[in-house]
Amino acid sequence: MSDSPTHALPSYLDAAHLGPWGIYLQQVDRVTPYLGPLARWVETLKRPKRALIVDVPIELDNGSVAHFEGYRVQHNTSRGPGKGGVRFHQDVTLSEVMALAAWMSVKNAAVNLPYGGAKGGIRVDPRQLSQAEIERMTRRYTSEIGVIIGPSKDIPAPDVNTNAQTMAWMMDTYSMNEGSTATGVVTGKPIALGGSLGRVEATGRGVFVTACEAARDCNIDVSQARVIVQGFGNVGGTAARLFHETGAKVIAVQDHTGTVYNPAGLDVHKLLSHVSQKGGVGGFSGAEALDNAQFWELETDFLIPAALEGQINQSNAHKVRAKIVVEGANGPTTPEADDVLRENGVYVVPDVLANAGGVTVSYFEWVQDFSSFFWSEDEINHRLERLMREAYSAVSQVAKEHKVTLRTAAFIVACTRILQARQVRGLYP
């Protein structure tokens, strides 16, 4: 993917292979005509404020030393401290982390949280490491990026292949280096360390809430709907369970172990139990196995992509027969695929809105840590659902006003908020 002539690219990116950052730049180009006088500041959105690349050396269990490449990117902090996850994955690249950080800026602004966008990652296949090696790697990485993170600077959270335990190690390492306990340096922590109730299910719950709002706009009865889900971790699994409990039929689920299909509806509770025991949906007895490519062609009311980016692309977008796509993953639909879906009348609830439930409850956790006063799970879920509905309503209104997609509308809302903050703060010095 080549860059547009308007993009002055940093020297460390290859214009011919921009990767996910190229997708983000296209999205900014699409929103620029709607920014009015704020377009003067649009270059702010096309450059990360800070990108840190670190070497992460650790001693392996066998006594040898291994080196891993780590990143922490802060895209924009005009509206508040950086906020975004840390992922451990063998395909992590700087371009990907830059794009994910930028999408966090947009997501936080779209839901009106007082944060900027950031993201981190280590280029590693964690399946090749023992638990002790992962701990050493996490602690070393945290020490290396410690100069730019902090409760009022940049607050990491879990992402792909990281979890509450990872956050506990990060919090402890940062706290030991600082000489005082700093629970607010990360979110998604265990409850025992100042974590928030409802955090684990928050992203999936947000996906479900925005799906219900979209269903109302599209005159679909959720209790009678058919649903297919790609990715069955915290996000896809939680969303599927909530759909199932509302009466909807989850007819197919796909993950890295294959695709399972039952036109009469899968027993989601049994499937979740199967996944916790076997590590994936493959081999589930209450369904037939389906070829992975056929998954996208299933006729359904809702398609929930909740795995990795770029899953709906030029090669399969024209096959999608869903009425509504609700993006549980970050960047699962390429701009080219977006155009195809729009032409085919598929209603897309974009990632920067649909999966903002996780960062919303992370915000609640951060607030609770600062005040040392914790809320009940019911209160957290109620606040989350209200905030997600309000965000959806605001974006939907802008979409109707400008006759644009929800994605473009979400970018209009978010980029306006970010650039207003940039403009009124001005340039220092």
Side-chain angles (χ1 to χ4, degrees):
M1 185 185 295
S2 64
D3 62 305
S4 147
T6 60
H7 299 142
L9 289 172
S11 60
Y12 49 80
L13 288 185
D14 178 358
H17 301 95
L18 280 179
W21 183 249
I23 294 175
Y24 165 73
L25 290 178
Q26 287 185 50
Q27 292 168 336
V28 173
D29 282 346
R30 290 183 180 201
V31 81
T32 304
Y34 301 97
L35 296 177
L38 289 172
R40 171 178 180 243
W41 296 93
V42 78
E43 283 295 315
T44 301
L45 301 170
K46 298 180 186 178
R47 302 155 193 269
K49 174 183 174 65
R50 184 179 288 116
L52 181 63
I53 304 171
V54 296
D55 178 37
V56 185
I58 65 162
E59 186 174 318
L60 299 178
D61 293 344
N62 64 11
S64 64
V65 176
H67 291 255
F68 302 100
E69 196 171 303
Y71 310 98
R72 186 69 185 175
V73 174
Q74 295 165 351
H75 172 258
N76 188 280
T77 56
S78 293
R79 301 180 71 252
K83 187 83 191 76
V86 173
R87 60 176 53 185
F88 296 167
H89 197 274
Q90 60 274 19
D91 297 328
V92 165
T93 63
L94 179 59
S95 166
E96 178 188 52
V97 177
M98 284 169 60
L100 292 167
W103 285 323
M104 284 304 302
S105 292
V106 174
K107 185 185 303 183
N108 288 324
V111 191
N112 211 12
L113 301 179
Y115 288 139
K119 206 76 175 187
I122 301 178
R123 194 172 170 83
V124 61
D125 182 352
R127 293 170 298 184
Q128 306 301 316
L129 300 181
S130 69
Q131 185 80 341
E133 288 167 337
I134 291 172
E135 177 179 353
R136 291 197 289 276
M137 179 183 71
T138 301
R139 289 182 180 278
R140 182 66 192 227
Y141 168 74
T142 306
S143 290
E144 296 292 347
I145 67 167
V147 290
I148 64 167
I149 64 171
S152 57
K153 289 194 211 170
D154 179 3
I155 306 120
D159 198 81
V160 177
N161 294 328
T162 56
N163 54 28
Q165 178 61 74
T166 318
M167 295 304 106
W169 290 328
M170 289 190 74
M171 188 218 90
D172 181 66
T173 304
Y174 179 87
S175 295
M176 297 302 281
N177 288 342
E178 289 291 304
S180 62
T181 299
T183 55
V185 67
V186 294
T187 58
K189 301 181 295 298
I191 300 297
L193 290 180
S196 177
L197 297 168
R199 175 62 184 85
V200 173
E201 293 188 343
T203 308
R205 187 173 292 277
V207 167
F208 175 71
V209 170
T210 51
C212 291
E213 295 298 295
R216 188 179 296 114
D217 278 354
C218 298
N219 295 316
I220 291 172
D221 181 353
V222 176
S223 68
Q224 303 295 315
R226 292 159 302 171
V227 183
I228 63 175
V229 182
Q230 187 203 34
F232 211 61
N234 277 348
V235 181
T238 299
R241 179 178 62 75
L242 292 169
F243 271 112
H244 178 70
E245 290 171 356
T246 308
K249 285 181 184 173
V250 179
I251 59 172
V253 174
Q254 179 180 100
D255 71 2
H256 64 284
T257 62
T259 303
V260 294
Y261 171 66
N262 185 338
L266 298 157
D267 185 325
V268 173
H269 292 287
K270 285 184 179 173
L271 183 56
L272 286 165
S273 176
H274 172 86
V275 170
S276 70
Q277 291 168 24
K278 305 291 184 183
V281 301
F284 179 59
S285 59
E288 60 181 282
L290 203 65
D291 181 73
N292 280 344
Q294 289 179 276
F295 171 83
W296 304 103
E297 302 172 22
L298 292 170
E299 194 168 324
T300 183
D301 297 296
F302 291 98
L303 162 58
I304 316 289
L308 293 172
E309 59 264 12
Q311 297 299 297
I312 304 176
N313 47 52
Q314 273 182 304
S315 67
N316 62 11
H318 62 283
K319 298 176 183 174
V320 170
R321 296 166 71 198
K323 293 174 184 170
I324 302 175
V325 172
V326 187
E327 296 182 336
N330 290 312
T333 310
T334 66
E336 297 85 359
D338 231 5
D339 293 339
V340 173
L341 294 177
R342 188 182 69 245
E343 286 162 17
N344 291 347
V346 179
Y347 191 76
V348 179
V349 184
D351 50 359
V352 292
L353 179 60
N355 71 21
V359 71
T360 300
V361 176
S362 274
Y363 165 60
F364 296 164
E365 179 179 334
W366 182 70
V367 168
Q368 291 170 91
D369 284 340
F370 267 119
S371 63
S372 298
F373 181 80
F374 292 83
W375 310 335
S376 70
E377 188 162 0
D378 281 348
E379 187 173 359
I380 284 160
N381 289 340
H382 176 72
R383 288 174 185 257
L384 167 65
E385 289 170 18
R386 180 174 57 80
L387 208 148
M388 294 296 291
R389 287 194 185 98
E390 287 172 356
Y392 178 90
S393 176
V395 170
S396 176
Q397 186 62 40
V398 169
K400 288 167 187 163
E401 204 177 298
H402 292 288
K403 296 181 172 56
V404 293
T405 63
L406 280 186
R407 188 184 314 281
T408 300
F411 269 73
I412 292 171
V413 170
C415 294
T416 297
R417 286 173 177 162
I418 293 167
L419 296 182
Q420 280 174 339
R422 172 73 281 169
Q423 179 169 274
V424 295
R425 286 184 65 160
L427 297 174
Y428 173 86

